[in-house]
Amino acid sequence: MEIFYHVLINPNSGGGNGRIVGEKIIDYLSEHQLAFDVRFTGYPDHERQFIRELAQTTLREYQPEDQSNQPYPLLLIIGGDGTIHQVVNELYRLKKQFPIAYIPAGSGNDFARALNLPKDPVAIIEHIHQNTQPTFCHILHYDEAIYGEEGLALNNVGIGLDAAIVYETNHSKVKDILQKFNLLSFSYLSAVIQTLVKQRSFPILVEANGQTYNFKKAYLCTTSNHPYFGGGIPIAPKASVFQNKLDLIIIEKPSMLLVPWIAFKIFTRKHLEAKFCHYIQANKIKIVSTIAQHGQADGEELGERSYDITFDLIEQPFWF
Ligand SMILES: Nc1ncnc2c1ncn2[C@@H]1O[C@H](COP(=O)(O)OP(=O)(O)OP(=O)(O)O)[C@@H](O)[C@H]1O
């Protein structure tokens, strides 16, 4: 199948890695005389505008028996989890199911891990180019009743600790300075330590599989469709984008002395059976937190507020 690549690059993702990866891919496409055009985002949310333009003028849904005599227009996204989050949400808003090819260039790249993509961007574009059809993956769909918001997440939606870490990292006073010196991971680490101490426990109500659960001392409450968050932490080791199930992980506020042991349990994927952890798998999950908490979807802030949020899964085609 002949393909025309519509490349969309967030040059700022991964502290500038997006530009480096993007240039490698442009070189690859040029050297192999493949048809493409390229767009660089210039500011936050810019990807949404490009997607609207491409959706109106150029992209088309994939049909196994494509009758068109034009090359297939394939969207190729280069950026981090936040970039691809914006893209799928804009496509969802437009009610379009265009396949997405994705080359990670962020700092976390959890969705790329979920798809088991190779580390080398050139190896990824080679696979993409050899492929002839998309694969449908399950991604999270959420509906928040209090603010009437709806959206998609490729990785996870968190209420509590993980979302407070995202907030702290994004609003850290030293973040811009550390970014200049390529020390963003220090800003993340300092946000993690500060938030571990600062985050209080909160009560939540969960409805899943026809049952209602009350958790009085939730600390971290993450709904996921694959194992990873925070750049490779296997928080939901049994989740997979290839199965039609959501995984909810709730961790209760521990004594600070136990944090290293809990971290060890999580990294060795042995936390699901531990006393501090509650694990629920279902196709639909409702979570109510009446006490205002930070929320995050794929590392993008949802705000500090109460939540009445229902999750299920939708299918999105990916080309990898
Ligand atoms: N040129 C740009 N300058 C600044 N922000 C941008 C630009 N283009 C896109 N964005 C915004 O950056 C955010 C996404 O960044 P992204 O998550 O891809 O990178 P990252 O944070 O480095 O990676 P990761 O999420 O994997 O850690 C999105 O909200 C997006 O709208």
Side-chain angles (χ1 to χ4, degrees):
M1 175 190 263
E2 213 184 320
I3 289 186
F4 192 107
Y5 292 95
H6 294 279
V7 187
L8 177 50
I9 302 173
N10 173 352
N12 246 26
S13 56
N17 191 37
R19 184 175 297 282
I20 297 168
V21 172
E23 279 166 4
K24 265 190 198 157
I25 299 305
I26 293 170
D27 287 348
Y28 178 93
L29 296 171
S30 310
E31 277 163 23
H32 291 79
Q33 296 180 339
L34 301 175
F36 71 98
D37 60 22
V38 61
R39 293 164 174 80
F40 287 87
T41 59
Y43 49 85
D45 287 353
H46 197 180
E47 49 278 75
R48 288 190 179 244
Q49 185 191 323
F50 285 142
I51 293 297
R52 284 196 292 276
E53 285 165 16
L54 284 166
Q56 275 163 12
T57 56
T58 314
L59 300 174
R60 60 177 194 266
E61 289 187 5
Y62 173 82
Q63 308 287 345
E65 306 294 323
D66 196 288
Q67 301 296 330
S68 169
N69 50 10
Q70 299 293 318
Y72 185 70
L74 181 60
L75 188 57
L76 171 58
I77 306 298
I78 301 176
D81 287 321
T83 307
I84 189 165
H85 172 94
Q86 301 286 3
V87 169
V88 294
N89 273 285
E90 192 57 28
L91 289 176
Y92 180 71
R93 208 184 60 76
L94 297 168
K95 298 189 172 40
K96 300 287 186 194
Q97 265 215 329
F98 300 130
I100 300 172
Y102 172 55
I103 300 186
S107 38
N109 300 329
D110 283 325
F111 190 64
R113 253 182 218 97
L115 295 182
N116 210 8
L117 297 183
K119 288 263 177 297
D120 177 13
V122 172
I124 303 177
I125 185 71
E126 279 171 353
H127 281 212
I128 291 170
H129 196 61
Q130 279 156 17
N131 203 351
T132 53
Q133 59 182 15
T135 302
F136 281 80
C137 296
H138 294 282
I139 62 173
L140 298 176
H141 166 248
Y142 65 86
D143 216 326
E144 204 288 311
I146 301 172
Y147 287 76
E149 288 171 1
E150 193 200 4
L152 302 180
L154 296 144
N155 298 321
N156 44 63
V157 176
I159 300 169
L161 182 72
D162 55 335
I165 291 173
V166 168
Y167 176 87
E168 202 64 51
T169 311
N170 289 347
H171 298 271
S172 146
K173 292 201 178 81
V174 290
K175 186 185 171 194
D176 292 344
I177 302 166
L178 290 170
Q179 181 158 10
K180 276 198 190 109
F181 295 100
N182 249 342
L183 293 172
L184 260 189
S185 45
F186 279 98
S187 128
Y188 180 61
L189 191 66
S190 108
V192 170
I193 294 167
Q194 278 182 50
T195 317
L196 276 172
V197 178
K198 229 166 62 180
Q199 174 70 33
R200 297 216 179 141
S201 65
F202 54 97
I204 50 162
L205 179 135
V206 174
E207 286 174 19
N209 300 320
Q211 298 202 46
T212 303
Y213 308 82
N214 272 296
F215 299 102
K216 293 201 177 91
K217 292 189 168 183
Y219 181 58
L220 174 144
C221 170
T222 297
T223 308
S224 197
N225 63 324
H226 68 67
Y228 307 104
F229 84 163
I233 302 170
I235 190 70
K238 293 189 178 169
S240 164
V241 289
F242 303 112
Q243 67 186 6
N244 190 14
K245 290 273 185 211
L246 295 159
D247 284 37
L248 170 65
I249 307 286
I250 293 165
I251 292 186
E252 292 189 8
K253 173 128 191 176
S255 142
M256 283 299 110
L257 293 173
L258 288 180
V259 167
W261 179 72
I262 292 176
F264 172 76
K265 284 280 198 187
I266 294 174
F267 277 105
T268 54
R269 299 170 187 246
K270 294 201 174 110
H271 55 292
L272 296 185
E273 299 81 32
K275 237 175 126 185
F276 61 82
C277 182
H278 304 278
Y279 169 54
I280 295 169
Q281 201 174 49
N283 346 69
K284 190 170 183 181
I285 296 178
K286 174 173 162 134
I287 300 172
V288 179
S289 168
T290 48
I291 298 195
Q293 291 297 320
H294 286 289
Q296 64 85 19
D298 293 340
E300 305 279 297
E301 293 172 33
L302 294 178
E304 187 177 14
R305 61 191 218 203
S306 304
Y307 286 89
D308 177 345
I309 190 163
T310 302
F311 295 97
D312 55 12
L313 291 155
I314 66 149
E315 285 192 313
Q316 165 68 43
F318 288 93
W319 196 293
F320 58 98

